[in-house]
Structures are given as structure tokens and as C-alpha cells.
Amino acid sequence: MITTTLLKTSRVLGSTLLVGGLLLSGAAQAQIATPAASPKSTVQQRVGLTDITITYSRPGVKGRPIFGDSTTKAITPFGQRWRTGANSTTSIKFSDDVTVEGKKVPAGEYGLYTIPGKTSWVVVLNKSLKQGADVKGFKDADDVARFTVKPYALANKVETFTMEFSDLTPATANVEMLWDKTGAKFKVTTDVDTKVMAQIDEKVVKNASASANDMAAAAVYYYDNNKDLKQALTWIQKANEKDAKFWNVHTEAKIRMKMKDYKGTVAAAEQSKKLAAEAKNTDYVKMNEGLIADAKKAGKL
């Protein structure tokens, strides 16, 4: 009995020591989590109907010289290719075909490389996403676009490298690269018109039972982009016949105003004003009042 008990006790102790050893081994191998020196960031922007996504790592100035010639010991020397961030190559992804600084770029994801200079920067979009600063592995033949932009001085120092979108329009945006006291940017243009016109063709032009909302949207697009105003007027009138909303009747008034049909403008604006007042929308009441005054003055009514 004593021998059996000792054997059982020995086995239990052995198992306990084994488990304890494994736990200690796992704890010893686990790494302490600390903040990254150059944290990874992703910025995304819809430009027109196209999504643009940039993924990059953000190094800090930390008292170092950033851009400069060989005498400054800059960490990003003039004339040398830079991965446009830290750790790995910055990537830029387009959901549709775009134009970047006049260069056609197919939909896809690319490495975004730059060659900073004192008076100009070369920006390169390359099929490779893994080359970083490795000159040997980089292939110019894999370039999708290469262009030159001018750097500019920043009014305020940017401690952490930053990429952002600015100057947004319905079809364009600038991509800005900001670090220390220097900035550089390039323009991306998307093809909005082709896509919208294709939708209008499908949902309105070729659809005998087009909805009031689709016809109104088509009319607004034609109005905003100075397309066929007679066609825009036809669509908005049909939309208003189906369902007269004060904002759509106001659109009819604006189209008539642009066509210099001042009496028609006043009539449509008066109707829109009445509908807006019934809906207690004071903003549209005021807009219609302003449009009525402008039409009466232009038409000497």
C-alpha cells in the first residue's frame, strides 16, 4: 500500500512539474506588447464613385533631419527612392480605372514610391508592393505611372508622416504627403460621367417605367453638368407629375431659370414654395423666394 501510494504521488508531482514547466516556457516565449515606433495606418476616400485606399506606416521626426542632401545626414536623402513611409512599401488601391497626374492607371493595388528632391519629387506607382528601398529588386519595367510634382513648405511642422486626401470635387482629389516642414501632392481624377450616364441610360432612357426618383436624379445630373436642359426639363416634369415633392419642383424652377424661361421659373418656384411651406421647410421657402425675385428681375416681370 505504501509503495503504491508513493508511486501515485510521484506521478502526480511529475505531471504538475511538467505542466508548470510548459506554462513557464510559454510565458518566457511571449513578447511584451509595446507601441510601434511607426504605427500602421489606412486612409480611404471615395472620389466620385471610386474608392481609393492608402495603407502606410507613419514614422516620426524625433529630432532628426528628414529631407536633405548628403551633408545633412537626412534619413530620407534627396535623389534616393523612398517607400513613402516606414517598415514596408506604402500601397495605394483604386477600385476603378483612374487618371493620376494625367497618367492612366488601371484599377488595382500598387506600391507608392517617391524620390524626394529639393525642387521636385518623382512619384512612382509600381506593380511591386514589396521592394521597399531595395534598389536591386526594383524593376522600372513594372512602373504603372511615373510623374513629377513640386514640393512645398508647410506653415506648421508635421511630426508624424501623414498622408491625406484634400481638395475634393465630385470627380477629383489630391493625395497629400506631409512630413516635418515639407509637403508634396498629386491629383487623382476618376471617371464619374461615364458611370452616371450608363446608369441614366439603363434606368431612365431605356426604362419606360422609370421611377420619379430616377428621373429627378437624372435631371439634377444634367442640370449640374450643363447637359441637355430640354431633356432635363422633360424628366423633372414627368417626375413631378408622378410625385410632386417640393425639392423636385424647385429643381424644375432652377432648370427653367437656366433656360431663361422666367415666367416658368416663377410658376414652378411658387408651387415649390407652397409645398415647402406645407412641409414647414423654411430653407426651401427662402430659396424659392430668392429664385422668384431673381427671375422677375431677369425677365423684367
Side-chain angles (χ1 to χ4, degrees):
M1 286 294 293
I2 294 175
T3 302
T4 301
T5 302
L6 287 173
L7 284 171
K8 288 182 178 179
T9 302
S10 176
R11 287 171 184 168
V12 170
L13 287 172
S15 298
T16 302
L17 289 172
L18 177 59
V19 172
L22 290 172
L23 289 172
L24 288 172
S25 175
Q29 291 177 2
Q31 295 181 344
I32 297 174
T34 59
S38 302
K40 190 174 183 179
S41 179
T42 298
V43 290
Q44 186 176 52
Q45 179 65 55
R46 170 155 284 202
V47 181
L49 300 174
T50 299
D51 292 321
I52 304 175
T53 305
I54 298 173
T55 302
Y56 71 113
S57 293
R58 307 183 61 190
V61 175
K62 301 176 183 178
R64 303 172 296 178
I66 300 302
F67 301 108
D69 56 30
S70 57
T71 62
T72 63
K73 296 183 180 180
I75 64 170
T76 311
F78 289 152
Q80 292 187 25
R81 188 173 69 254
W82 179 38
R83 55 194 170 196
T84 321
N87 302 333
S88 60
T89 299
T90 289
S91 70
I92 185 166
K93 184 177 182 179
F94 307 105
S95 63
D96 301 296
D97 296 353
V98 297
T99 301
V100 184
E101 287 292 325
K103 309 286 185 179
K104 298 291 185 182
V105 177
E109 187 173 14
Y110 306 100
L112 173 57
Y113 303 90
T114 48
I115 304 173
K118 186 175 182 179
T119 59
S120 66
W121 280 35
V122 176
V123 181
V124 180
L125 301 186
N126 190 279
K127 294 177 183 178
S128 173
L129 293 163
K130 300 179 181 179
Q131 292 305 325
D134 181 9
V135 177
K136 293 181 180 179
F138 192 89
K139 296 179 181 179
D140 290 339
D142 288 336
D143 285 357
V144 177
R146 181 181 288 252
F147 50 87
T148 302
V149 298
K150 290 185 176 295
Y152 50 89
L154 299 176
N156 299 302
K157 178 181 176 180
V158 176
E159 171 63 28
T160 307
F161 177 57
T162 299
M163 298 191 72
E164 62 186 24
F165 294 91
S166 65
D167 305 316
L168 287 168
T169 74
T172 67
N174 285 327
V175 175
E176 295 200 64
M177 302 167 285
L178 314 169
W179 199 16
D180 196 17
K181 299 177 181 178
T182 301
K185 61 184 178 182
F186 58 87
K187 187 175 183 178
V188 180
T189 302
T190 63
D191 186 4
V192 175
D193 191 63
T194 300
K195 292 181 178 181
V196 175
M197 291 299 288
Q199 292 180 72
I200 291 174
D201 187 58
E202 176 189 354
K203 296 184 178 183
V204 179
V205 176
K206 296 178 179 178
N207 185 1
S209 58
S211 69
N213 287 339
D214 284 340
M215 286 190 289
V220 169
Y221 187 75
Y222 268 44
Y223 171 83
D224 288 341
N225 292 276
N226 296 312
K227 293 183 180 290
D228 187 345
L229 291 177
K230 289 184 179 180
Q231 181 62 74
L233 181 60
T234 298
W235 285 332
I236 199 65
Q237 285 178 308
K238 288 183 178 180
N240 289 333
E241 287 171 5
K242 286 190 173 186
D243 188 11
K245 303 293 188 183
F246 62 81
W247 56 88
N248 286 338
V249 180
H250 182 73
T251 296
E252 179 180 338
K254 291 194 299 180
I255 292 172
R256 289 184 180 278
M257 184 69 174
K258 189 176 276 192
M259 296 175 70
K260 299 182 180 180
D261 173 11
Y262 303 119
K263 288 184 179 180
T265 299
V266 172
E270 289 285 7
Q271 182 188 0
S272 176
K273 177 183 173 182
K274 180 181 178 181
L275 293 171
E278 291 172 355
K280 297 181 180 180
N281 189 303
T282 56
D283 288 339
Y284 266 85
V285 169
K286 291 178 181 178
M287 286 192 291
N288 281 299
E289 288 175 344
L291 191 54
I292 291 167
D294 291 342
K296 286 183 176 180
K297 181 178 180 181
K300 298 179 181 180
L301 303 177

